[in-house]
Amino acid sequence: MWWLLLLQLATGAREEALPARPLLGPKPLVFWHSDELHFQVPHDWTLHGPVGTVCVSGDDRVGKSTLLSLWIKNLTQNKAFEFPAGHARTSFTQGLWSAVLHSEETQLDFHLNLCDSQGLKQVPELQQWRLFAANVLVPQVLVYMLINVVQVDQLRDLARMAHQFQKLGNNSQQHQRFGRLSPHLMVLVREESDLAEQDGRNLTDHLEQVLNSPGYEEDKALIRQVFRTREAWSLEELPKEARHALREGDFTAESARSWRWSGEAALKQVLLAIQRRTLLLPQGPELWEWYRSVLATVNSEEETSLERLIGHGERLDVMRRRRRWLQDCFGRVLATLAGVAILSAFSSSLGLCLDRAAGLAWVLLSVCYLGASPLLKMPMRGLAERVCDQLYLKGGEELVKAICLEASSQSAAVLVASVLGLLSYPLFTAQLRSLLKRIPLPSQLHRSFVTLFLVLLALLLSMLQEVLSEAATSTPAFLGAFAVVFLATLLDGITLLQKVLHNRSCTTASAVGRGLHFWIAQRDAEVAALEASADWKLHFRRYSECDTLWRYRRLPLWQSWSRVLQALGLLTWSWLIYPHWDVVFMLGAALNLVDLCVTWAVWLRKRFQPGRDPVEQWLEELQEDSDEEKEEEEMIQDEPPILPETPEEARLRLQIEEMR
């Protein structure tokens, strides 16, 4: 179709115009503060799209940073980009370091977050199990490095770390539900002998044989319970000459060829493991929220901390599945809206039905666009999440658990999108139809052109969001747009309050006049007949009785309500995606700024315009005349009037006198 071609051309132009993204890191994102792990992500680390995470853990001085540097050079062909590695007996890496490779650089379907962990045996016991728990919960793939062979004592070290991790939760149901959070374990054996030539590089069978061998069954069962999927590979020996070359940054040295090949083979297995979990990969902003949630869990000493994280992970799964479903529905709803536009050009008898169908499609389009936004995040300790945690941990009914699964930022985004869609459709269509009336076209085509414009607007928003994704973290732009929307909300709210108070006073004044109408209807037969007629009932079915008296007719409130609700919707949307922004928020802020400028211009014109409004002057004159008439009536009431006697009254008077 023509709009798909337009989208492809725009996407191609965008890819040619945008420069290559700079590589992010390596930087220490997770650091120690006393005995707790804290997290801080640089403000310029912006990611859009799925992100796969790999953490390399193990003992100190086993070559974790060097292996990650090899993987970076293999994926990006960037010779100067590597993890810093200390060449002393003390460890250089503290906490968790990360480097993010964009999918444009790696040609993968996802961004790759490579995580380097501090040596596990260089910290006290409390920090040790917190660091290992973070290594287990953060990534999709955990690479655990050993030296020489998979020995029982090395497995016991891994089991001891898993046992410390098990302290986060102590019941079998938690461990069963933990399966979705369990990373894929790759045991990477760094060979310092010639055993790899005999056994080959794939040591998975050897690992399973050791795990199923007699002795230390409890520790081995714990490893199988925590790590549901696992494999083992060997990393070739690194000769002394190659170590000197790697320290100088020469990863192409001939002496390191075998080590390099085995490291690249391990990288392929890591990427395959991430691709098998593509549906579970978090988006960019969601990844950093997951970091914070994991660290809040490992730093907590509560027994229910793991349960809370598992429930949070289940809510994230619901959010990801719904996001994929909304993304699939966006194109279908857009095609439906285009079909309605074409059909409305050839069918005038279905005008009202097609208009309602177009309005419904526009609302669904808004829901698909905002509900599938990658900027949405879900904090684990939000207000709704705290209430749900209390209900969830108490083992409530299934209905309560289902409601808690829906308590997410995506559900709030769907509600905001519905409100914005319901408000924007009549506003857009009314303005567009008023413009199209000035063009000499058949009226039947107006509805079709309006619907086609909405289709083009939806396509434009989709393309602009991708084009402006790099600037979507500009703090001054966000704060400026937020200030405009907040000011518009404040002024529109004040205007709405003034209209509500005015309408209340008009209703009170109108009630007095309508109360006096009862006596008129009792004395005048024509008025009574009019009230009993069908036209009278039909009229007041459509219009309120409070607006009967023209002097006390109320002001319409739907425009004021629509302005306030759309501004509140934009403020809520900005809160959901903070500190990022998207085209919807910026477009809404721009429209509110135009509305504010027009409002101020009208106010200034009335303020400095010479003379007075003739309509207001006429109303004031009517008010003055009515006041004079009231004074005259009060003076007349002091002296009762003498009315002439009618023939009926005279006949009645004579009958009464005869009776006397």
Side-chain angles (χ1 to χ4, degrees), residues 428-467:
F428 284 164
T429 53
Q431 296 295 329
L432 291 173
R433 287 174 182 174
S434 63
L435 292 176
L436 289 175
K437 287 181 181 178
R438 302 179 181 180
I439 303 176
L441 290 174
S443 59
Q444 183 178 348
L445 296 179
H446 290 177
R447 182 178 290 106
S448 177
F449 284 178
V450 168
T451 311
L452 285 177
F453 176 81
L454 295 179
V455 174
L456 294 177
L457 180 62
L459 285 175
L460 183 63
L461 291 178
S462 301
M463 292 185 293
L464 285 179
Q465 178 57 39
E466 295 186 4
V467 172

mmCIF file of all heavy atoms in Angstrom, residues 428-467:
data_model
loop_
_atom_site.group_PDB
_atom_site.id
_atom_site.type_symbol
_atom_site.label_atom_id
_atom_site.label_comp_id
_atom_site.label_asym_id
_atom_site.label_seq_id
_atom_site.Cartn_x
_atom_site.Cartn_y
_atom_site.Cartn_z
ATOM 1 N N PHE A 428 -10.260 17.318 16.741
ATOM 2 C CA PHE A 428 -9.592 17.287 15.443
ATOM 3 C C PHE A 428 -10.596 17.328 14.294
ATOM 4 O O PHE A 428 -10.433 18.094 13.336
ATOM 5 C CB PHE A 428 -8.721 16.026 15.327
ATOM 6 C CG PHE A 428 -7.439 16.100 16.098
ATOM 7 C CD1 PHE A 428 -6.705 14.956 16.371
ATOM 8 C CD2 PHE A 428 -6.961 17.311 16.554
ATOM 9 C CE1 PHE A 428 -5.535 15.016 17.092
ATOM 10 C CE2 PHE A 428 -5.788 17.387 17.277
ATOM 11 C CZ PHE A 428 -5.068 16.246 17.547
ATOM 12 N N THR A 429 -11.604 16.486 14.378
ATOM 13 C CA THR A 429 -12.557 16.411 13.267
ATOM 14 C C THR A 429 -13.348 17.710 13.104
ATOM 15 O O THR A 429 -13.627 18.135 11.978
ATOM 16 C CB THR A 429 -13.525 15.247 13.504
ATOM 17 O OG1 THR A 429 -14.126 15.379 14.809
ATOM 18 C CG2 THR A 429 -12.798 13.915 13.420
ATOM 19 N N ALA A 430 -13.697 18.359 14.222
ATOM 20 C CA ALA A 430 -14.448 19.622 14.114
ATOM 21 C C ALA A 430 -13.603 20.702 13.438
ATOM 22 O O ALA A 430 -14.088 21.439 12.562
ATOM 23 C CB ALA A 430 -14.893 20.074 15.506
ATOM 24 N N GLN A 431 -12.328 20.791 13.829
ATOM 25 C CA GLN A 431 -11.470 21.805 13.222
ATOM 26 C C GLN A 431 -11.206 21.503 11.746
ATOM 27 O O GLN A 431 -11.206 22.412 10.897
ATOM 28 C CB GLN A 431 -10.139 21.875 13.982
ATOM 29 C CG GLN A 431 -10.271 22.332 15.425
ATOM 30 C CD GLN A 431 -10.772 23.766 15.528
ATOM 31 O OE1 GLN A 431 -10.507 24.592 14.652
ATOM 32 N NE2 GLN A 431 -11.497 24.058 16.591
ATOM 33 N N LEU A 432 -10.995 20.234 11.426
ATOM 34 C CA LEU A 432 -10.708 19.883 10.033
ATOM 35 C C LEU A 432 -11.926 20.092 9.136
ATOM 36 O O LEU A 432 -11.797 20.561 7.996
ATOM 37 C CB LEU A 432 -10.237 18.427 9.962
ATOM 38 C CG LEU A 432 -8.861 18.144 10.574
ATOM 39 C CD1 LEU A 432 -8.589 16.651 10.585
ATOM 40 C CD2 LEU A 432 -7.770 18.874 9.790
ATOM 41 N N ARG A 433 -13.096 19.766 9.626
ATOM 42 C CA ARG A 433 -14.298 19.961 8.807
ATOM 43 C C ARG A 433 -14.591 21.434 8.590
ATOM 44 O O ARG A 433 -15.074 21.830 7.524
ATOM 45 C CB ARG A 433 -15.487 19.271 9.465
ATOM 46 C CG ARG A 433 -15.432 17.751 9.360
ATOM 47 C CD ARG A 433 -16.545 17.091 10.132
ATOM 48 N NE ARG A 433 -16.434 15.630 10.058
ATOM 49 C CZ ARG A 433 -17.196 14.789 10.735
ATOM 50 N NH1 ARG A 433 -18.137 15.262 11.553
ATOM 51 N NH2 ARG A 433 -17.024 13.486 10.615
ATOM 52 N N SER A 434 -14.307 22.257 9.593
ATOM 53 C CA SER A 434 -14.489 23.702 9.395
ATOM 54 C C SER A 434 -13.527 24.239 8.348
ATOM 55 O O SER A 434 -13.856 25.164 7.589
ATOM 56 C CB SER A 434 -14.293 24.428 10.719
ATOM 57 O OG SER A 434 -12.966 24.246 11.196
ATOM 58 N N LEU A 435 -12.327 23.663 8.267
ATOM 59 C CA LEU A 435 -11.380 24.089 7.227
ATOM 60 C C LEU A 435 -11.781 23.566 5.850
ATOM 61 O O LEU A 435 -11.638 24.270 4.840
ATOM 62 C CB LEU A 435 -9.973 23.595 7.578
ATOM 63 C CG LEU A 435 -9.308 24.233 8.804
ATOM 64 C CD1 LEU A 435 -7.960 23.570 9.078
ATOM 65 C CD2 LEU A 435 -9.121 25.733 8.601
ATOM 66 N N LEU A 436 -12.281 22.318 5.816
ATOM 67 C CA LEU A 436 -12.657 21.744 4.528
ATOM 68 C C LEU A 436 -13.896 22.406 3.932
ATOM 69 O O LEU A 436 -14.096 22.346 2.707
ATOM 70 C CB LEU A 436 -12.900 20.244 4.690
ATOM 71 C CG LEU A 436 -11.658 19.379 4.946
ATOM 72 C CD1 LEU A 436 -12.051 17.936 5.215
ATOM 73 C CD2 LEU A 436 -10.695 19.448 3.759
ATOM 74 N N LYS A 437 -14.727 23.026 4.755
ATOM 75 C CA LYS A 437 -15.899 23.714 4.220
ATOM 76 C C LYS A 437 -15.522 24.891 3.332
ATOM 77 O O LYS A 437 -16.308 25.317 2.478
ATOM 78 C CB LYS A 437 -16.780 24.198 5.371
ATOM 79 C CG LYS A 437 -17.527 23.070 6.077
ATOM 80 C CD LYS A 437 -18.395 23.610 7.200
ATOM 81 C CE LYS A 437 -19.130 22.474 7.913
ATOM 82 N NZ LYS A 437 -19.956 22.986 9.045
ATOM 83 N N ARG A 438 -14.344 25.429 3.514
ATOM 84 C CA ARG A 438 -13.888 26.546 2.686
ATOM 85 C C ARG A 438 -13.371 26.089 1.323
ATOM 86 O O ARG A 438 -13.104 26.910 0.460
ATOM 87 C CB ARG A 438 -12.786 27.304 3.418
ATOM 88 C CG ARG A 438 -13.227 27.830 4.791
ATOM 89 C CD ARG A 438 -12.097 28.553 5.480
ATOM 90 N NE ARG A 438 -12.510 29.029 6.806
ATOM 91 C CZ ARG A 438 -11.720 29.696 7.644
ATOM 92 N NH1 ARG A 438 -10.476 29.973 7.280
ATOM 93 N NH2 ARG A 438 -12.175 30.080 8.807
ATOM 94 N N ILE A 439 -13.210 24.770 1.164
ATOM 95 C CA ILE A 439 -12.735 24.223 -0.106
ATOM 96 C C ILE A 439 -13.944 23.743 -0.902
ATOM 97 O O ILE A 439 -14.814 23.056 -0.362
ATOM 98 C CB ILE A 439 -11.745 23.069 0.130
ATOM 99 C CG1 ILE A 439 -10.573 23.551 0.993
ATOM 100 C CG2 ILE A 439 -11.239 22.507 -1.189
ATOM 101 C CD1 ILE A 439 -9.609 22.451 1.362
ATOM 102 N N PRO A 440 -14.023 24.075 -2.164
ATOM 103 C CA PRO A 440 -15.190 23.650 -2.972
ATOM 104 C C PRO A 440 -15.156 22.156 -3.280
ATOM 105 O O PRO A 440 -14.765 21.740 -4.371
ATOM 106 C CB PRO A 440 -15.058 24.500 -4.243
ATOM 107 C CG PRO A 440 -13.601 24.817 -4.340
ATOM 108 C CD PRO A 440 -13.098 24.943 -2.938
ATOM 109 N N LEU A 441 -15.535 21.351 -2.291
ATOM 110 C CA LEU A 441 -15.586 19.904 -2.451
ATOM 111 C C LEU A 441 -16.953 19.407 -2.013
ATOM 112 O O LEU A 441 -17.620 20.046 -1.192
ATOM 113 C CB LEU A 441 -14.498 19.222 -1.607
ATOM 114 C CG LEU A 441 -13.046 19.414 -2.066
ATOM 115 C CD1 LEU A 441 -12.106 18.796 -1.044
ATOM 116 C CD2 LEU A 441 -12.815 18.793 -3.430
ATOM 117 N N PRO A 442 -17.395 18.271 -2.537
ATOM 118 C CA PRO A 442 -18.659 17.704 -2.064
ATOM 119 C C PRO A 442 -18.591 17.400 -0.575
ATOM 120 O O PRO A 442 -17.553 16.978 -0.059
ATOM 121 C CB PRO A 442 -18.810 16.422 -2.901
ATOM 122 C CG PRO A 442 -17.950 16.640 -4.097
ATOM 123 C CD PRO A 442 -16.815 17.500 -3.662
ATOM 124 N N SER A 443 -19.681 17.618 0.125
ATOM 125 C CA SER A 443 -19.710 17.396 1.574
ATOM 126 C C SER A 443 -19.462 15.946 1.938
ATOM 127 O O SER A 443 -19.011 15.640 3.044
ATOM 128 C CB SER A 443 -21.055 17.858 2.139
ATOM 129 O OG SER A 443 -22.117 17.127 1.518
ATOM 130 N N GLN A 444 -19.762 15.035 0.999
ATOM 131 C CA GLN A 444 -19.556 13.616 1.283
ATOM 132 C C GLN A 444 -18.072 13.293 1.449
ATOM 133 O O GLN A 444 -17.707 12.362 2.175
ATOM 134 C CB GLN A 444 -20.159 12.781 0.155
ATOM 135 C CG GLN A 444 -20.056 11.268 0.379
ATOM 136 C CD GLN A 444 -20.710 10.496 -0.741
ATOM 137 O OE1 GLN A 444 -21.428 11.075 -1.555
ATOM 138 N NE2 GLN A 444 -20.477 9.199 -0.789
ATOM 139 N N LEU A 445 -17.194 14.072 0.769
ATOM 140 C CA LEU A 445 -15.762 13.804 0.844
ATOM 141 C C LEU A 445 -15.121 14.392 2.088
ATOM 142 O O LEU A 445 -13.971 14.070 2.390
ATOM 143 C CB LEU A 445 -15.062 14.355 -0.397
ATOM 144 C CG LEU A 445 -15.453 13.725 -1.740
ATOM 145 C CD1 LEU A 445 -14.702 14.395 -2.869
ATOM 146 C CD2 LEU A 445 -15.162 12.226 -1.728
ATOM 147 N N HIS A 446 -15.817 15.260 2.800
ATOM 148 C CA HIS A 446 -15.223 15.875 3.980
ATOM 149 C C HIS A 446 -14.885 14.824 5.031
ATOM 150 O O HIS A 446 -13.793 14.818 5.594
ATOM 151 C CB HIS A 446 -16.177 16.921 4.561
ATOM 152 C CG HIS A 446 -16.300 18.133 3.682
ATOM 153 N ND1 HIS A 446 -17.156 19.177 3.977
ATOM 154 C CD2 HIS A 446 -15.674 18.478 2.529
ATOM 155 C CE1 HIS A 446 -17.051 20.106 3.041
ATOM 156 N NE2 HIS A 446 -16.175 19.699 2.149
ATOM 157 N N ARG A 447 -15.836 13.932 5.293
ATOM 158 C CA ARG A 447 -15.603 12.910 6.308
ATOM 159 C C ARG A 447 -14.465 11.983 5.894
ATOM 160 O O ARG A 447 -13.651 11.564 6.724
ATOM 161 C CB ARG A 447 -16.882 12.112 6.536
ATOM 162 C CG ARG A 447 -16.762 11.054 7.611
ATOM 163 C CD ARG A 447 -18.072 10.306 7.836
ATOM 164 N NE ARG A 447 -19.085 11.151 8.465
ATOM 165 C CZ ARG A 447 -20.125 11.649 7.821
ATOM 166 N NH1 ARG A 447 -20.288 11.401 6.522
ATOM 167 N NH2 ARG A 447 -21.010 12.396 8.454
ATOM 168 N N SER A 448 -14.389 11.669 4.613
ATOM 169 C CA SER A 448 -13.323 10.798 4.124
ATOM 170 C C SER A 448 -11.959 11.459 4.269
ATOM 171 O O SER A 448 -10.991 10.836 4.719
ATOM 172 C CB SER A 448 -13.577 10.428 2.659
ATOM 173 O OG SER A 448 -12.523 9.645 2.153
ATOM 174 N N PHE A 449 -11.849 12.744 3.922
ATOM 175 C CA PHE A 449 -10.580 13.449 4.031
ATOM 176 C C PHE A 449 -10.150 13.596 5.492
ATOM 177 O O PHE A 449 -8.960 13.509 5.810
ATOM 178 C CB PHE A 449 -10.680 14.819 3.366
ATOM 179 C CG PHE A 449 -10.642 14.762 1.870
ATOM 180 C CD1 PHE A 449 -10.758 15.911 1.114
ATOM 181 C CD2 PHE A 449 -10.509 13.552 1.205
ATOM 182 C CE1 PHE A 449 -10.725 15.863 -0.272
ATOM 183 C CE2 PHE A 449 -10.481 13.484 -0.167
ATOM 184 C CZ PHE A 449 -10.590 14.644 -0.919
ATOM 185 N N VAL A 450 -11.103 13.817 6.378
ATOM 186 C CA VAL A 450 -10.769 13.931 7.799
ATOM 187 C C VAL A 450 -10.192 12.619 8.323
ATOM 188 O O VAL A 450 -9.185 12.600 9.042
ATOM 189 C CB VAL A 450 -12.014 14.352 8.602
ATOM 190 C CG1 VAL A 450 -11.777 14.186 10.093
ATOM 191 C CG2 VAL A 450 -12.379 15.793 8.293
ATOM 192 N N THR A 451 -10.799 11.504 7.959
ATOM 193 C CA THR A 451 -10.309 10.207 8.419
ATOM 194 C C THR A 451 -8.938 9.896 7.824
ATOM 195 O O THR A 451 -8.061 9.355 8.514
ATOM 196 C CB THR A 451 -11.307 9.104 8.050
ATOM 197 O OG1 THR A 451 -12.624 9.493 8.457
ATOM 198 C CG2 THR A 451 -10.945 7.807 8.729
ATOM 199 N N LEU A 452 -8.732 10.240 6.552
ATOM 200 C CA LEU A 452 -7.418 10.044 5.949
ATOM 201 C C LEU A 452 -6.354 10.893 6.636
ATOM 202 O O LEU A 452 -5.204 10.464 6.794
ATOM 203 C CB LEU A 452 -7.476 10.378 4.456
ATOM 204 C CG LEU A 452 -8.158 9.350 3.557
ATOM 205 C CD1 LEU A 452 -8.213 9.862 2.119
ATOM 206 C CD2 LEU A 452 -7.428 8.011 3.604
ATOM 207 N N PHE A 453 -6.735 12.087 7.054
ATOM 208 C CA PHE A 453 -5.788 12.924 7.784
ATOM 209 C C PHE A 453 -5.387 12.271 9.110
ATOM 210 O O PHE A 453 -4.213 12.335 9.522
ATOM 211 C CB PHE A 453 -6.390 14.302 8.042
ATOM 212 C CG PHE A 453 -5.502 15.199 8.873
ATOM 213 C CD1 PHE A 453 -4.454 15.893 8.300
ATOM 214 C CD2 PHE A 453 -5.729 15.326 10.239
ATOM 215 C CE1 PHE A 453 -3.639 16.701 9.069
ATOM 216 C CE2 PHE A 453 -4.920 16.135 11.010
ATOM 217 C CZ PHE A 453 -3.870 16.830 10.428
ATOM 218 N N LEU A 454 -6.324 11.625 9.789
ATOM 219 C CA LEU A 454 -5.991 10.934 11.028
ATOM 220 C C LEU A 454 -5.033 9.770 10.776
ATOM 221 O O LEU A 454 -4.136 9.510 11.584
ATOM 222 C CB LEU A 454 -7.267 10.425 11.695
ATOM 223 C CG LEU A 454 -8.248 11.502 12.184
ATOM 224 C CD1 LEU A 454 -9.472 10.851 12.802
ATOM 225 C CD2 LEU A 454 -7.587 12.441 13.181
ATOM 226 N N VAL A 455 -5.215 9.084 9.653
ATOM 227 C CA VAL A 455 -4.295 7.999 9.303
ATOM 228 C C VAL A 455 -2.884 8.549 9.084
ATOM 229 O O VAL A 455 -1.885 8.000 9.588
ATOM 230 C CB VAL A 455 -4.799 7.252 8.055
ATOM 231 C CG1 VAL A 455 -3.778 6.218 7.602
ATOM 232 C CG2 VAL A 455 -6.128 6.577 8.339
ATOM 233 N N LEU A 456 -2.785 9.639 8.330
ATOM 234 C CA LEU A 456 -1.474 10.250 8.094
ATOM 235 C C LEU A 456 -0.856 10.767 9.390
ATOM 236 O O LEU A 456 0.363 10.686 9.583
ATOM 237 C CB LEU A 456 -1.608 11.390 7.085
ATOM 238 C CG LEU A 456 -2.014 10.977 5.665
ATOM 239 C CD1 LEU A 456 -2.193 12.211 4.787
ATOM 240 C CD2 LEU A 456 -0.963 10.058 5.059
ATOM 241 N N LEU A 457 -1.681 11.288 10.282
ATOM 242 C CA LEU A 457 -1.169 11.775 11.562
ATOM 243 C C LEU A 457 -0.592 10.636 12.385
ATOM 244 O O LEU A 457 0.470 10.780 13.016
ATOM 245 C CB LEU A 457 -2.289 12.473 12.330
ATOM 246 C CG LEU A 457 -1.913 13.057 13.701
ATOM 247 C CD1 LEU A 457 -0.843 14.129 13.556
ATOM 248 C CD2 LEU A 457 -3.145 13.632 14.391
ATOM 249 N N ALA A 458 -1.269 9.484 12.401
ATOM 250 C CA ALA A 458 -0.755 8.331 13.143
ATOM 251 C C ALA A 458 0.568 7.848 12.556
ATOM 252 O O ALA A 458 1.517 7.520 13.292
ATOM 253 C CB ALA A 458 -1.788 7.201 13.140
ATOM 254 N N LEU A 459 0.677 7.811 11.236
ATOM 255 C CA LEU A 459 1.946 7.429 10.599
ATOM 256 C C LEU A 459 3.047 8.427 10.924
ATOM 257 O O LEU A 459 4.201 8.055 11.187
ATOM 258 C CB LEU A 459 1.756 7.327 9.087
ATOM 259 C CG LEU A 459 1.002 6.101 8.566
ATOM 260 C CD1 LEU A 459 0.787 6.216 7.069
ATOM 261 C CD2 LEU A 459 1.769 4.828 8.884
ATOM 262 N N LEU A 460 2.701 9.704 10.900
ATOM 263 C CA LEU A 460 3.694 10.739 11.194
ATOM 264 C C LEU A 460 4.206 10.625 12.622
ATOM 265 O O LEU A 460 5.409 10.776 12.883
ATOM 266 C CB LEU A 460 3.080 12.120 10.957
ATOM 267 C CG LEU A 460 4.014 13.323 11.158
ATOM 268 C CD1 LEU A 460 5.160 13.278 10.163
ATOM 269 C CD2 LEU A 460 3.241 14.625 11.017
ATOM 270 N N LEU A 461 3.315 10.351 13.568
ATOM 271 C CA LEU A 461 3.746 10.188 14.953
ATOM 272 C C LEU A 461 4.689 9.002 15.102
ATOM 273 O O LEU A 461 5.681 9.077 15.841
ATOM 274 C CB LEU A 461 2.522 10.009 15.856
ATOM 275 C CG LEU A 461 1.622 11.226 16.050
ATOM 276 C CD1 LEU A 461 0.434 10.860 16.926
ATOM 277 C CD2 LEU A 461 2.390 12.381 16.660
ATOM 278 N N SER A 462 4.399 7.915 14.409
ATOM 279 C CA SER A 462 5.270 6.742 14.494
ATOM 280 C C SER A 462 6.654 7.035 13.928
ATOM 281 O O SER A 462 7.671 6.653 14.525
ATOM 282 C CB SER A 462 4.641 5.564 13.745
ATOM 283 O OG SER A 462 3.377 5.243 14.289
ATOM 284 N N MET A 463 6.709 7.731 12.794
ATOM 285 C CA MET A 463 8.001 8.026 12.187
ATOM 286 C C MET A 463 8.782 9.060 12.988
ATOM 287 O O MET A 463 9.992 8.937 13.183
ATOM 288 C CB MET A 463 7.800 8.506 10.751
ATOM 289 C CG MET A 463 7.286 7.414 9.819
ATOM 290 S SD MET A 463 7.189 7.937 8.102
ATOM 291 C CE MET A 463 5.878 9.165 8.200
ATOM 292 N N LEU A 464 8.099 10.076 13.488
ATOM 293 C CA LEU A 464 8.790 11.105 14.259
ATOM 294 C C LEU A 464 9.339 10.563 15.565
ATOM 295 O O LEU A 464 10.392 11.003 16.030
ATOM 296 C CB LEU A 464 7.843 12.276 14.536
ATOM 297 C CG LEU A 464 7.536 13.212 13.371
ATOM 298 C CD1 LEU A 464 6.576 14.302 13.808
ATOM 299 C CD2 LEU A 464 8.816 13.834 12.828
ATOM 300 N N GLN A 465 8.646 9.608 16.164
ATOM 301 C CA GLN A 465 9.143 9.044 17.411
ATOM 302 C C GLN A 465 10.472 8.345 17.185
ATOM 303 O O GLN A 465 11.383 8.434 18.012
ATOM 304 C CB GLN A 465 8.116 8.071 17.993
ATOM 305 C CG GLN A 465 8.574 7.405 19.271
ATOM 306 C CD GLN A 465 8.923 8.398 20.347
ATOM 307 O OE1 GLN A 465 8.260 9.408 20.504
ATOM 308 N NE2 GLN A 465 9.987 8.139 21.081
ATOM 309 N N GLU A 466 10.624 7.639 16.072
ATOM 310 C CA GLU A 466 11.893 6.983 15.784
ATOM 311 C C GLU A 466 12.968 7.991 15.415
ATOM 312 O O GLU A 466 14.124 7.844 15.794
ATOM 313 C CB GLU A 466 11.706 5.976 14.656
ATOM 314 C CG GLU A 466 10.777 4.813 15.016
ATOM 315 C CD GLU A 466 10.726 3.773 13.927
ATOM 316 O OE1 GLU A 466 11.465 3.935 12.939
ATOM 317 O OE2 GLU A 466 9.959 2.812 14.057
ATOM 318 N N VAL A 467 12.592 9.039 14.686
ATOM 319 C CA VAL A 467 13.577 10.046 14.295
ATOM 320 C C VAL A 467 14.077 10.809 15.511
ATOM 321 O O VAL A 467 15.264 11.117 15.635
ATOM 322 C CB VAL A 467 12.964 11.007 13.257
ATOM 323 C CG1 VAL A 467 13.903 12.172 12.985
ATOM 324 C CG2 VAL A 467 12.665 10.260 11.964
#
